[in-house]
Amino acid sequence: MNNKLIKYLRSDHAGEIGAVYIYIGILKTSSCPKVIEFAKKHLLTEKKHLKEIERLLPSKDRSKLLFIWKLSGLVLGAVCGRIGPKWVYHSIEKVETFVEAHYQEQIDYLSKEEQSYLEVLTTIKKCQADEIDHKTEASELQQSNEKTFSLNCWLWLINWGSKQAVEMAKIF
């Protein structure tokens, strides 16, 4: 496996750990039955993704910052879960929009590698499809597209933090 692919998979592994902890955070703080059902369902999918990425990426190549990815996911989930369903669904939509683009970058790269990494490509495409489903479901569950200033700031922070996390995970 080449260095660029290892960096991609390391960032995927970090992201899937973060995703698992986002849903754990939501489940620890939300009292809304629909949100709890949503989070439980998506937590199972994210755990499957994590296992798939762990199968592809040797433990020696994984991020050394696992505590940070767990904590940041937990905080993101806990904050939006505590505030309410609107924040949960908008936050998940924002995260998944970022993840969709991140996976697409990898799909584009892997598609040029011919058959060398077919298993990785297939896995990334499957994960991306699931993340798009999560994004779509979160979007459909939103009561309103109207966003407050604080929610817009929060969504900006999620997007910015996701970009920083990917870059850090590629290095550490």
Side-chain angles (χ1 to χ4, degrees):
M1 201 175 310
N2 69 40
N3 195 40
K4 185 170 185 169
L5 185 53
I6 289 170
K7 288 179 178 186
Y8 274 137
L9 289 173
R10 185 181 303 129
S11 68
D12 295 342
H13 183 255
E16 295 301 343
I17 285 176
V20 164
Y21 278 84
I22 287 170
Y23 290 109
I24 290 171
I26 292 168
L27 289 169
K28 288 190 176 294
T29 59
S30 181
S31 58
C32 174
K34 279 185 87 166
V35 168
I36 292 169
E37 179 184 334
F38 173 87
K40 283 180 177 178
K41 180 173 103 178
H42 292 283
L43 176 59
L44 292 175
T45 305
E46 299 301 352
K47 284 181 174 180
K48 287 178 190 172
H49 291 175
L50 181 57
K51 283 184 182 178
E52 284 296 307
I53 299 299
E54 287 179 340
R55 188 178 55 74
L56 297 171
L57 184 67
S59 56
K60 70 176 181 56
D61 293 323
R62 296 178 190 161
S63 175
K64 307 300 183 242
L65 305 175
L66 297 183
F67 174 76
I68 292 173
W69 312 136
K70 290 176 182 180
L71 181 61
S72 57
L74 190 64
V75 168
L76 191 160
V79 167
C80 65
R82 181 74 177 133
I83 294 173
K86 180 177 182 174
W87 276 53
V88 168
Y89 299 134
H90 280 284
S91 296
I92 296 302
E93 180 183 31
K94 179 58 80 176
V95 167
E96 300 299 15
T97 298
F98 177 85
V99 173
E100 177 185 359
H102 179 63
Y103 278 146
Q104 188 59 51
E105 180 183 325
Q106 295 171 60
I107 290 166
D108 294 345
Y109 168 73
L110 289 166
S111 295
K112 295 175 190 167
E113 294 294 310
E114 298 174 21
Q115 298 296 322
S116 304
Y117 302 111
L118 187 58
E119 181 183 15
V120 176
L121 178 61
T122 302
T123 300
I124 298 300
K125 283 182 174 181
K126 171 67 174 112
C127 288
Q128 183 194 44
D130 290 341
E131 306 299 4
I132 291 169
D133 288 345
H134 293 185
K135 178 184 81 169
T136 301
E137 184 178 353
S139 179
E140 289 170 353
L141 288 169
Q142 292 170 15
Q143 300 283 317
S144 151
N145 280 333
E146 188 178 320
K147 298 175 190 145
T148 62
F149 176 75
S150 57
L151 178 55
N152 278 323
C153 289
W154 174 250
L155 297 175
W156 178 88
L157 183 61
I158 288 172
N159 195 59
W160 179 83
S162 297
K163 289 177 186 176
Q164 302 316 305
V166 164
E167 293 310 311
M168 287 177 61
K170 285 180 178 179
I171 298 167
F172 304 106

